Amino acid sequence: MADFRAMTAVEVIEALRQSAPTLILLHKRPDADAVGSALALRLWLEAMGSPACCICADEMPEHLAFLGAGLQESLLITAVPAGFEGARIIAVDTASPAQAGELVPELEARVSLMIDHHGTGTPFADHYILPSAAASGEIVLALIRASDVAVTPRMATLLYAAISADTGCFRYSNTTTATHLAAAFLVERGIDTAEINRQLYEAKSLSLLTAEKAGFERLHFYESGRIAILTFPYALQQQLGLKDEHLGTLVDVARCVYGVEIAAAIRETATPGVYRVSMRANVDFDVAAVAARFGGGGHTRAAGATLTADDAERAEAMILEALLQAER
Ligand code: AMP
Ligand code: MN
Ligand code: MN
């Protein structure tokens, strides 16, 4: 495998000061950290003289449309936009090639820089990865501040949403002093934090609530309730008319139950036999290490992977076995 280099913040800023058309790649099934970081990165690059455009293997989810409004409604490009033919490519919040997804395939090999905060992944370019950062947004903010470009209220809104989302509104254990200081700096830019957090946490579509309701009915408990796993068949997703973006928070259904220490949501994808697994830990347990066993990764307490299994029961048994083995 090619050897990729860890870059310093100074090197990253120097590289990005060189004006050049830039495509910013964010991971598939984009979340608010990916969207917020990528769009803020875009505004920063534009402020430094580079035309920039964000690209993703999936469309902007409906619940994050408020972040892109007026900037970029669509993230999914099926062809390289005019003017970006030879563009440099920067990946943000994307730990592994698998997370990039089935984007215009030749683009992935051309990524020249990764900016990310995942501790477990497969670097695919020279990189600036800080696993201690709660969100990629925290890293992008520090880079912008170090570059002496003014952080506009627009950038601040995007970065605050990124950081709030990956910390569960500053509740998760990845939230540090630096996270709060970053948030305080952003709040000082005059942003509407109540509205951002309402959009992120309170406004739920009926489809999302439908997914959660079906998820609660499919919960299985193991080890006296310490482990909760749910599976979601693709046929059920179709029957309920749900898009993938409505299933992204299913793991929280398993994780929120009193007494649950480790939670997993296993959803069957459109490809029969291929399952997408999300894992969360409410205690000091490394779910990224378990995800890595299936070729995935993530953070100590939040990780994901894709696996193949004969059926959902088998997929659930594989995950349970891997969790129990890791506990021993
Ligand atoms: P998810 O359960 O999909 O929300 O993912 C939980 C966390 O793990 C997120 O920070 C993801 O970016 C990360 N993650 C998911 N899949 C992978 C993967 N294949 N490689 C590395 N990190 C991943
Ligand atoms: Mn993300
Ligand atoms: Mn992230």
Side-chain angles (χ1 to χ4, degrees):
M1 203 182 70
D3 230 356
F4 298 112
R5 200 169 69 85
M7 295 175 74
T8 66
V10 171
E11 287 173 326
V12 171
I13 293 166
E14 266 324 298
L16 297 187
R17 265 194 221 283
Q18 314 297 319
S19 69
T22 309
L23 291 171
I24 300 161
L25 169 65
L26 50 151
H27 63 76
K28 63 181 173 182
R29 292 183 301 273
D31 51 31
D33 186 29
V35 171
S37 300
L39 288 171
L41 199 52
R42 177 186 142 180
L43 294 173
W44 179 40
L45 285 166
E46 287 175 348
M48 295 194 296
S50 294
C53 174
C54 300
I55 60 173
C56 181
D58 286 312
E59 265 305 353
M60 182 85 85
E62 203 183 317
H63 67 281
L64 298 181
F66 76 102
L67 289 174
L71 268 180
Q72 191 171 359
E73 301 296 336
S74 168
L75 297 171
L76 177 66
I77 59 155
T78 46
V80 179
F84 288 89
E85 290 78 9
R88 71 179 161 199
I89 306 177
I90 302 173
V92 66
D93 200 44
T94 305
S96 311
Q99 276 193 297
E102 297 78 40
L103 194 75
V104 188
E106 68 270 24
L107 293 184
E108 186 192 299
R110 281 182 27 212
V111 174
S112 59
L113 169 65
M114 296 167 58
I115 296 175
D116 188 32
H117 69 125
H118 294 93
T120 309
T122 312
F124 49 98
D126 287 351
H127 45 78
Y128 186 59
I129 302 174
L130 300 183
S132 62
S136 293
E138 206 177 301
I139 303 174
V140 173
L141 173 63
L143 290 170
I144 300 175
R145 290 181 71 179
S147 76
D148 287 331
V149 169
V151 177
T152 62
R154 182 83 204 225
M155 289 176 185
T157 296
L158 293 164
L159 293 170
Y160 181 89
I163 296 169
S164 173
D166 266 24
T167 58
C169 207
F170 308 93
R171 287 175 302 158
Y172 302 154
S173 64
N174 58 349
T175 310
T176 64
T177 309
T179 315
H180 283 295
L181 288 171
F185 174 86
L186 295 169
V187 173
E188 278 183 331
R189 311 271 81 67
I191 60 177
D192 189 346
T193 56
E195 176 57 13
I196 298 167
N197 286 320
R198 189 188 68 79
Q199 296 267 14
L200 290 178
Y201 299 104
E202 289 171 19
K204 292 187 177 188
S205 67
L206 277 176
S207 294
L208 194 132
L209 292 169
T210 302
E212 289 186 354
K213 176 166 177 268
F216 276 114
E217 285 163 1
R218 303 188 58 82
L219 271 175
H220 294 157
F221 295 97
Y222 301 97
E223 301 289 301
S224 317
R226 285 192 307 107
I227 299 178
I229 306 181
L230 68 84
T231 58
F232 212 93
Y234 188 66
L236 179 61
Q237 180 180 344
Q238 281 186 307
Q239 185 196 321
L240 297 174
L242 303 176
K243 295 190 208 163
D244 286 349
E245 68 182 66
H246 301 128
L247 306 181
T249 52
L250 268 181
V251 69
D252 295 329
V253 164
R255 160 198 167 97
C256 74
V257 181
Y258 190 81
V260 169
E261 296 179 355
I262 307 167
I266 303 170
R267 31 204 255 246
E268 189 180 8
T269 67
T271 311
V274 177
Y275 295 83
R276 172 75 205 159
V277 188
S278 287
M279 287 179 278
R280 301 289 185 269
N282 288 331
V283 295
D284 190 14
F285 177 85
D286 190 0
V287 283
V290 176
R293 288 186 46 181
F294 299 96
H299 314 283
T300 313
R301 293 193 181 198
T306 301
L307 62 91
T308 50
D310 291 340
D311 53 40
E313 287 69 39
R314 186 72 206 120
E316 181 163 338
M318 284 163 72
I319 291 299
L320 178 61
E321 180 56 29
L323 290 171
L324 292 175
Q325 258 183 31
E327 272 199 324
R328 275 178 215 129

